[in-house]
Every structure is written in structure tokens, then in C-alpha cells.
Amino acid sequence: MARVSINVDHVATVRQARLAAEPDPVAAAFLAELAGAQGIVVHLREDRRHIQDRDVEILRRTVKTKLNLEMAATDEMVQIALKIKPDVVTLVPEKRQELTTEGGLDVVLHEERLGEVMKSLHEGGIAVSLFVNPDPRHIKTAHRLEADYVEIHTGGFAESTTFSRRQDEYERIETACRLAQKLGLGVHAGHGVDYRNVLWLRNITEIEEFSIGHSVMARAVLVGIERAVREMIDLVNG
Ligand code: PXP
């Protein structure tokens, strides 16, 4: 049975659209946990376009499952993580212009810098996950870096528009997940996972945890957070 972690960034996006106090991602996280989510994920971006420092501080005190802080490998973010002490930090690439995280981290190119950042986080008692494309070279580098987890980027699969492309992408993810598990890495997966494509991805038994935001929040607008989360958990677990 795979765990489902819920990303509540979109709730903060709605709040920031009016620079208001509501809706509060802290309340959304609470409801997601009530519905059975086994983790809460937030991405504190350099430009603070959705999640704010205050959200992460309060979530640290209120999340009862597991708080996963997505962040770029910058000095500022490392300082924040060491202060807040989330259960897991997921390191992601970050570009100012992007609508959402566009690709996996180039762990091969940035191996040295990532090694420094991971050392600081590990010394602070924080587990580290690296968000990577389903590429064996990147999985092996993550292992060499002594990452605790890899989060396999499922965006290429989710966005593929033909059956054969989707099948190819699925196989890449499956191979990457198998390799990661064989190397002893914890295996997470995320990006673009929705109520349809999860029916494929749930067959990859190496995936221990899905990190899901957009599809669940989009459904939650119409049916409520608890129902949206429950429906996803039911699908993930067949
Ligand atoms: N995992 C990572 C590393 C992400 O950056 C995101 C997007 O914030 C997600 C998972 C969730 O993706 P989605 O919102 O498409 O479900």
C-alpha cells in the first residue's frame, strides 16, 4: 500500500490572489490529514508566490503525520529548513518564470553543491529527498549522495498524449523505481498524478509514496478536500 502525501500549495495560491488571510493552507492540511493523507507537502518558493514562511512555521506545529518541505538548494532555504526542521526536505530545481516545477534536479551537474546542502540538512536531523527525472544516472548519483529518498518525476508520463509515449514513459518510471529500491533508496513519485493516470502508476509497487497537489485540489474545489483526498487514497490502494 502506497502512502499519499498532499501538497496544499494551491490553497495558498488562492489566498495570495487577494493577499488575504483565507483560505488557509494550514486548515487544508488539517482536513487532508483527517481524510487519511499520510503527509503534507508545501513548496516554499524563493519568490513566496504561494506558501509563506508563516505557513511552514505553523504547519510544523500542527501537522501530525509528516511535513515535507519542497525547496531549492539555496543558503536561505537551508537556514529556514534548519530552523523549522521538517521531517523531510525535497530538493527541487526552481525557476522564477515557471508555473510549476518543470523538471527533475540535475543531480549530476550539481552533485557537489547538493552534497554540501545535504550534509547540512542531515546534520540538522532532516531526511532528504531528491526530485529527479526517471534516469538511471540520476538515481545512481542520488544514491552516491546518500539521499534518503528519490522522488521520481512523473510529469513526462502524465503529460504524454499518445498511448505509446505514455507506455514508454511508464516503463522509464518503472525501471527507475526498481533501481532506486535496489540501491536502498526510499521511492516517492509525483507531478501530474491524477485520478486517471494513478490507475497505471499504482501498479509500480516500488513506489512507497505519491506526492499529489493539483488534481486533488482541483477536485476539492468542487467536492471538498476530505472527499477529494479520500477518493485518491482509495484509488492508490486499488
Ligand atoms: N512533487 C514535486 C517535487 C512538485 O514540485 C510538485 C508540484 O508542486 C508535486 C510533486 C505535485 O505535483 P502536482 O501538483 O502536479 O500534483
Side-chain angles (χ1 to χ4, degrees):
M1 295 240 291
R3 298 184 296 271
V4 175
S5 277
I6 296 293
N7 179 315
V8 295
D9 292 352
H10 278 9
V11 179
T13 299
V14 175
R15 177 190 61 192
Q16 297 310 114
R18 284 291 177 95
L19 298 178
E22 292 173 328
D24 193 332
V26 175
F30 179 70
L31 291 173
E33 283 192 326
L34 268 186
Q38 283 151 308
I40 298 298
V41 189
V42 287
H43 184 175
L44 185 66
R45 297 185 78 102
E46 189 191 9
D47 62 9
R48 307 298 197 272
R49 71 170 75 151
H50 41 56
I51 292 294
Q52 305 296 304
D53 297 61
R54 159 267 183 214
D55 301 328
V56 190
E57 283 158 22
I58 300 177
L59 285 167
R60 174 62 298 181
R61 285 183 272 135
T62 55
V63 165
K64 292 168 198 66
T65 53
K66 196 176 63 175
L67 179 64
N68 184 336
L69 176 64
E70 276 183 31
M71 57 178 232
T74 62
D75 291 342
E76 184 205 8
M77 287 300 153
V78 171
Q79 288 316 312
I80 291 172
L82 290 174
K83 190 171 90 179
I84 304 264
K85 296 212 185 279
D87 300 287
V88 183
V89 157
T90 299
L91 293 172
V92 298
E94 197 174 298
K95 290 194 222 114
R96 272 197 181 246
Q97 294 80 8
E98 68 191 358
L99 292 178
T100 180
T101 315
E102 281 170 356
L105 261 181
D106 191 337
V107 289
V108 175
L109 185 66
H110 302 295
E111 184 169 355
E112 199 180 329
R113 168 70 186 159
L114 289 168
E116 292 162 11
V117 166
M118 289 169 69
K119 186 168 179 284
S120 304
L121 295 170
H122 278 150
E123 282 172 4
I126 303 166
V128 182
S129 178
L130 297 175
F131 183 53
V132 294
N133 290 327
D135 175 335
R137 224 161 48 107
H138 288 210
I139 309 288
K140 285 180 195 155
T141 307
H143 174 246
R144 196 164 52 239
L145 280 164
E146 298 181 4
D148 302 281
Y149 309 96
V150 279
E151 181 177 330
I152 306 293
H153 194 319
T154 50
F157 162 81
E159 283 151 28
S160 52
T161 49
T162 63
F163 186 80
S164 70
R165 183 71 204 272
R166 178 160 285 211
Q167 204 145 21
D168 287 349
E169 292 291 339
Y170 176 84
E171 281 164 21
R172 285 182 68 205
I173 294 170
E174 192 175 41
T175 304
C177 291
R178 285 198 179 140
L179 174 63
Q181 191 182 64
K182 200 168 129 216
L183 293 172
L185 292 156
V187 185
H188 297 173
H191 217 283
V193 177
D194 66 25
Y195 292 82
R196 283 171 288 277
N197 63 33
V198 78
L199 300 180
W200 289 51
L201 294 171
R202 72 182 185 188
N203 294 316
I204 304 177
T205 53
E206 287 79 8
I207 299 175
E208 294 159 27
E209 182 169 317
F210 288 96
S211 173
I212 311 177
H214 182 83
S215 65
V216 171
M217 289 303 138
R219 197 177 192 88
V221 169
L222 303 177
V223 305
I225 289 181
E226 291 185 67
R227 181 168 150 194
V229 171
R230 247 185 227 121
E231 285 176 357
M232 180 57 84
I233 291 171
D234 287 349
L235 284 178
V236 165
N237 293 306

